[in-house]
Amino acid sequence: MSTTLERYSESVMNTFGTPRLVLARGRGAEVWDEDGCRYVDLLGGIAVNALGHAHPALLAAVTEQLGTLGHISNFFTSGPQVELAERLLALLDAPDGGRVFLTNSGTEANEAAIKLSRRTGRTHLVAAAGAFHGRTMGALALTSKAAYREPFEPLPGHVTFVPYGDEAALEAAVTEETAAVVLEPIQGEAGVVSPPDGYLAAARRITSAHGALLWFDEIQSGMGRTGAWLAHTASGVTPDVVTLAKGLGGGFPIGACIGLGEAGRLLGPGNHGTTFGGNPVACAAALAVLDTVEKEGLLAHATELGETLRRGLAHAHVTEVRGAGLFIGLSLSEPRATAVARAAMDAGFIVNDCAPDRIRMAPPLVLTDEQGQELLAAWPGILAAAYEEETA
């Protein structure tokens, strides 16, 4: 055990288990540990590092903003905060009335959306099996995984879970008491799972029929991850609420709860707050991410490289390859995901074993074609090592 890991175990709460690596530095889609070993980062801080590590544009934006105006409190506003809100509304093609509440993280964005939904006068929420919406108590109430929920029950609120992608189950669950239906357009924690065609449109029809809000959690799937700014736009559906975080700040903590149309006016003065949300440095970081994704053509790059990777990751031990853009999920023929992640790390690649038989990849959007080919060349050996390890 390294000195750093010993110090970690003696000083940091053990909520994550033992860290798999002690990372020392990163550049682009590569990181190095404290022993100088290099890894291709195919996790991207769980879909956070959209521009990879140490991107010059992000460094410049944060440095310049912090040297000009740092924290200011919410008694005031700043140019970056207003510009970012305007840019996000434009990305969503938000109907009139749309407004943005800026937070520090995804779970805080979802907490804001929960409170926004309460302003409808209703309290019932509908979420999907397999969903992950965060770890704070309100967001956890919408997260389906029993291992996350059970140690903290009873959780707040009245929540009904329905099978993801099951239109009939959704229709049966939504009533005149339902404040909102929350769905990930592509589920991340579940292993990058997409719903059937037409499901999001059905959710819009059902919620509208009952006067409920339709809320898309795009915290993992948004900000170019799928090759589009937002994963739901291909459906043609306009939701009432969208929550964002992760890739929005490219590694700088920031999230957003966006109310579209009338939903943007449900929260009023005194209804909600945040000390750091809308911080000008975080907003400058997010604006740098938006600008760089546009200037470097990273949406098209994510689409093209993602297609190449999904084709190349097919293998006899892989029963399904899913996803869009650089949001990739794999199902394995047996529950060997932990062994695959371990073998990948031994080979110099960081991937996520998000379920016993599922692998998730969400690399930086700046992952190069060469790094992608490096993975594909190593992939058969990684699987062979993992399957041999488990049967040894």
Side-chain angles (χ1 to χ4, degrees), residues 127-294:
F132 180 84
H133 297 293
R135 303 263 197 165
T136 51
M137 291 297 276
L140 185 60
L142 300 170
T143 293
S144 73
K145 193 170 184 177
Y148 297 164
R149 296 168 50 85
E150 289 176 351
F152 304 100
E153 291 176 340
L155 293 166
H158 174 201
V159 181
T160 300
F161 286 96
V162 295
Y164 186 59
D166 186 330
E167 180 180 334
L170 183 62
E171 186 139 33
V174 179
T175 72
E176 305 304 313
E177 303 298 320
T178 302
V181 171
V182 54
L183 296 169
E184 296 164 276
I186 299 178
Q187 290 187 327
E189 178 88 0
V192 189
V193 177
S194 299
D197 290 344
Y199 181 65
L200 299 183
R204 177 71 283 176
R205 175 182 58 78
I206 293 166
T207 50
S208 295
H210 292 278
L213 300 174
L214 179 59
W215 161 15
F216 287 155
D217 179 339
E218 292 252 24
I219 287 168
Q220 285 197 44
S221 60
M223 306 318 300
R225 171 58 46 197
T226 63
W229 282 115
L230 287 309
H232 76 267
T233 52
S235 70
V237 171
T238 300
D240 301 297
V241 181
V242 173
T243 45
L244 298 172
K246 292 197 179 289
L248 178 59
F252 209 96
I254 186 169
C257 171
I258 305 167
L260 287 76
E262 293 302 314
R265 300 179 185 275
L266 285 172
L267 288 176
N271 286 160
H272 199 41
T274 168
T275 294
F276 298 103
N279 176 285
V281 182
C283 292
L287 289 168
V289 170
L290 292 170
D291 289 341
T292 304
V293 169
E294 288 180 349

Side-chain angles (χ1 to χ4, degrees), residues 3 22 37 41 49 52 91 101 121 135 140 177 189 206 214 238 246 282 289-290 310 317 355 359 385 390:
T3 300
V22 179
C37 298
D41 181 6
N49 298 315
L91 282 183
F101 182 86
R135 303 263 197 165
L140 185 60
E177 303 298 320
E189 178 88 0
I206 293 166
L214 179 59
T238 300
K246 292 197 179 289
V289 170
L290 292 170
R310 278 188 292 281
H317 291 319
I359 294 292
E390 290 291 319

Side-chain angles (χ1 to χ4, degrees), residues 40-53:
V40 178
D41 181 6
L42 298 165
L43 183 55
I46 313 182
V48 166
N49 298 315
L51 304 184
H53 303 270

Side-chain angles (χ1 to χ4, degrees), residues 4-386:
T4 303
L5 286 179
E6 289 175 347
R7 290 165 54 199
Y8 178 96
S9 67
E10 295 297 323
S11 61
V12 180
M13 285 189 183
N14 185 24
T15 56
F16 301 108
T18 303
R20 299 183 183 185
L21 293 172
V22 179
L23 295 176
R25 66 187 176 91
R27 183 162 294 277
E30 299 176 347
V31 292
W32 286 261
D33 68 17
E34 63 177 358
D35 296 321
C37 298
R38 171 240 188 209
Y39 303 86
V40 178
D41 181 6
L42 298 165
L43 183 55
I46 313 182
V48 166
N49 298 315
L51 304 184
H53 303 270
H55 194 289
L58 191 57
L59 281 173
V62 170
T63 302
E64 180 179 351
Q65 185 59 50
L66 195 55
T68 304
L69 189 68
H71 181 70
I72 58 173
S73 93
N74 292 305
F75 290 119
F76 312 101
T77 189
S78 65
Q81 182 185 71
V82 175
E83 183 180 350
L84 178 61
E86 292 173 342
R87 292 278 293 275
L88 294 177
L89 291 170
L91 282 183
L92 283 159
D93 194 20
D96 290 345
R99 297 288 187 272
V100 178
F101 182 86
L102 293 167
T103 67
N104 310 294
S105 67
T107 197
E108 291 174 79
N110 284 340
E111 292 288 340
I114 293 170
K115 290 184 70 175
L116 180 152
S117 76
R118 289 288 181 102
R119 296 292 293 161
T120 64
R122 306 178 181 185
T123 60
H124 178 229
L125 297 169
V126 177
F132 180 84
H133 297 293
R135 303 263 197 165
T136 51
M137 291 297 276
L140 185 60
L142 300 170
T143 293
S144 73
K145 193 170 184 177
Y148 297 164
R149 296 168 50 85
E150 289 176 351
F152 304 100
E153 291 176 340
L155 293 166
H158 174 201
V159 181
T160 300
F161 286 96
V162 295
Y164 186 59
D166 186 330
E167 180 180 334
L170 183 62
E171 186 139 33
V174 179
T175 72
E176 305 304 313
E177 303 298 320
T178 302
V181 171
V182 54
L183 296 169
E184 296 164 276
I186 299 178
Q187 290 187 327
E189 178 88 0
V192 189
V193 177
S194 299
D197 290 344
Y199 181 65
L200 299 183
R204 177 71 283 176
R205 175 182 58 78
I206 293 166
T207 50
S208 295
H210 292 278
L213 300 174
L214 179 59
W215 161 15
F216 287 155
D217 179 339
E218 292 252 24
I219 287 168
Q220 285 197 44
S221 60
M223 306 318 300
R225 171 58 46 197
T226 63
W229 282 115
L230 287 309
H232 76 267
T233 52
S235 70
V237 171
T238 300
D240 301 297
V241 181
V242 173
T243 45
L244 298 172
K246 292 197 179 289
L248 178 59
F252 209 96
I254 186 169
C257 171
I258 305 167
L260 287 76
E262 293 302 314
R265 300 179 185 275
L266 285 172
L267 288 176
N271 286 160
H272 199 41
T274 168
T275 294
F276 298 103
N279 176 285
V281 182
C283 292
L287 289 168
V289 170
L290 292 170
D291 289 341
T292 304
V293 169
E294 288 180 349
K295 288 177 182 176
E296 296 189 2
L298 295 180
L299 297 183
H301 175 67
T303 299
E304 293 165 7
L305 182 53
E307 290 176 357
T308 298
L309 291 178
R310 278 188 292 281
R311 284 196 303 271
L313 290 168
H315 187 278
H317 291 319
V318 176
T319 59
E320 185 182 16
V321 183
R322 301 177 296 273
L326 288 173
F327 202 25
I328 299 171
L330 307 170
S331 287
L332 302 170
S333 59
E334 298 178 19
R336 306 190 181 210
T338 299
V340 169
R342 187 161 47 236
M345 191 171 294
D346 290 342
F349 301 92
I350 296 174
V351 302
N352 175 228
D353 48 327
C354 59
D357 63 346
R358 294 184 177 185
I359 294 292
R360 172 176 48 176
M361 298 183 189
L365 304 183
V366 297
L367 182 77
T368 66
D369 293 338
E370 291 75 17
Q371 289 162 339
Q373 290 301 324
E374 188 179 345
L375 168 68
L376 296 184
W379 186 237
I382 291 170
L383 291 173

